[in-house]
Amino acid sequence: RDDDPLQPVTQDETVSVGGTVTLTCRVAASDNSSLQWSNTAQQTLYFGEKRALRDNRIQLYRSTGTELSITIGNVQLSDEGEYTCSIFTMPVRTARATVTVLGVPGKPQISGYEDTVQEGGKVTLTCTSSGSKPPAKLRWYRNQEELTGRPDVVETNPDEATYTVISELTLTVGRSDDNTLIGCAVDHPSLSSGEKWTEQPIRVLFTPDVTIQPQNDLPREGEKFIIQCIGNGNPKPTSYVWQRKDGELPLLAKVDGSFLLFEMLNKSDNGVYLCQADNGIGKMQGEYTLLVQDPTAMSTSSGVDHAVIGGVVAVIVFILLCLLIVLGRYLIRHKGTYLTHEAKGCDDAPDADTAIINAEGGHSGAEDKKEYFI
């Protein structure tokens, strides 16, 4: 009872196979009576500090007047059940603790994939994991994307209280699935997320995608020129066939596998060229339009470069002109002006003689000549 200080208190425990579990029994007060732990078969394990059962997996953890704790190591499925803690008072008081043992599932195994699959075909994979208790859940992934498989099939293992879980996944594969990793993960309380995981790479056979790449972007008359047929497929193309649309290949054009070589371009080489790539799974075709330019033609990139350089030069010239204009106006505004007052009073004289007299008087007067810079 909760109000009984001598009533033992325990708690249930969960442990995985191979792990260690601690069983603790406590009382609120002590009357010097001993605590005791018994197993599922009611065999005494410890009576106070004294070992009663010779099982080295069971060890004393702590023993006081109010507590008795023991540990069980390397736990097995057979250790699951109800354990009893007793205190020998009058009457004897007991408490029970249930130990649940989890069966740890094995690493999942993927089967069913035997060979490459052709594009558009189906592949069925089976994932199996044994030894779980309770039954594990299996999850399918394509790279990191979770997929939906068929519901898990659970089978009981006859020799022990564990389960084997089986899951199937059927995929219709495309070329984007080539080299994709299909994963199967086990979800179980005894495991951390992603702890047990298996992957199966998938190879898909598909017809090639064909593109034609020129050696450069400016085929000029009189120069050597090469175009290459690139086929991306699985397997890689082993056969290339070059053709000229609406006509025969030029006499000076040479076929070298995936390459078409023009030793000396001529305007007559203009046209649409076709390349068919075959990888044994299928044939696909690409095309390239050849337009031979004049020998003096510049590439688009060169034209762009010259335009950029010309624009930069124009901006620099404009800035210099602006600076010269501003500097000129500044110098004009701040030009020195020289003024004298040597003939002060001459402007108001009625005649020339008077002006001369006034000028001489002003020159010899007490006021000296002054010069100003404004």
Side-chain angles (χ1 to χ4, degrees), residues 103-284:
V104 181
K107 184 177 180 180
Q109 303 295 323
I110 296 178
S111 60
Y113 179 79
E114 298 178 355
D115 204 352
T116 52
V117 185
Q118 194 159 335
E119 181 180 16
K122 290 186 176 183
V123 59
T124 298
L125 302 176
T126 301
C127 182
T128 305
S129 176
S130 299
S132 60
K133 175 184 167 296
K137 294 185 180 298
L138 300 178
R139 301 184 185 276
W140 289 99
Y141 294 88
R142 174 165 47 199
N143 294 330
Q144 299 301 318
E145 173 194 4
E146 186 168 358
L147 304 174
T148 301
R150 296 179 186 175
D152 294 349
V153 175
V154 179
E155 299 177 352
T156 302
N157 295 328
D159 297 334
E160 54 185 11
T162 60
Y163 301 90
T164 295
V165 185
I166 304 169
S167 179
E168 281 190 354
L169 175 71
T170 299
L171 291 174
T172 300
V173 298
R175 62 183 58 204
S176 62
D177 293 315
D178 187 38
N179 284 321
T180 291
L181 294 175
I182 303 298
C184 178
V186 180
D187 187 7
H188 194 263
S190 66
L191 303 174
S192 58
S193 178
E195 182 177 343
K196 292 194 175 179
W197 167 287
T198 297
E199 289 180 325
Q200 173 65 61
I202 300 294
R203 294 307 311 270
V204 180
L205 303 176
F206 57 92
T207 56
D209 293 322
V210 179
T211 57
I212 299 178
Q213 291 279 356
Q215 180 186 31
N216 58 64
D217 62 353
L218 185 63
R220 288 186 287 206
E221 189 174 13
E223 293 185 354
K224 184 177 180 179
F225 189 69
I226 301 173
I227 54 178
Q228 182 182 8
C229 184
I230 300 175
N232 292 316
N234 185 29
K236 294 293 184 182
T238 56
S239 172
Y240 298 90
V241 177
W242 285 96
Q243 294 177 318
R244 185 179 184 179
K245 196 172 184 180
D246 301 328
E248 298 291 332
L249 289 176
L251 293 177
L252 295 180
K254 296 181 180 179
V255 175
D256 183 9
S258 62
F259 295 92
L260 182 62
L261 297 82
F262 298 85
E263 292 294 340
M264 184 177 294
L265 282 175
N266 190 283
K267 291 291 184 71
S268 62
D269 296 328
N270 288 341
V272 178
Y273 291 83
L274 308 176
C275 174
Q276 184 183 82
D278 185 355
N279 68 346
I281 303 300
K283 302 176 182 179
M284 292 298 288

Side-chain angles (χ1 to χ4, degrees), residues 276-329:
Q276 184 183 82
D278 185 355
N279 68 346
I281 303 300
K283 302 176 182 179
M284 292 298 288
Q285 183 173 274
E287 67 177 46
Y288 174 79
T289 300
L290 176 61
L291 183 59
V292 179
Q293 305 294 317
D294 293 331
T296 57
M298 296 177 60
S299 67
T300 304
S301 59
S302 298
V304 172
D305 293 341
H306 284 81
V308 172
I309 294 172
V312 172
V313 171
V315 170
I316 293 174
V317 171
F318 176 76
I319 293 173
L320 290 175
L321 288 174
C322 291
L323 290 174
L324 288 174
I325 292 172
V326 171
L327 183 60
R329 295 187 65 181

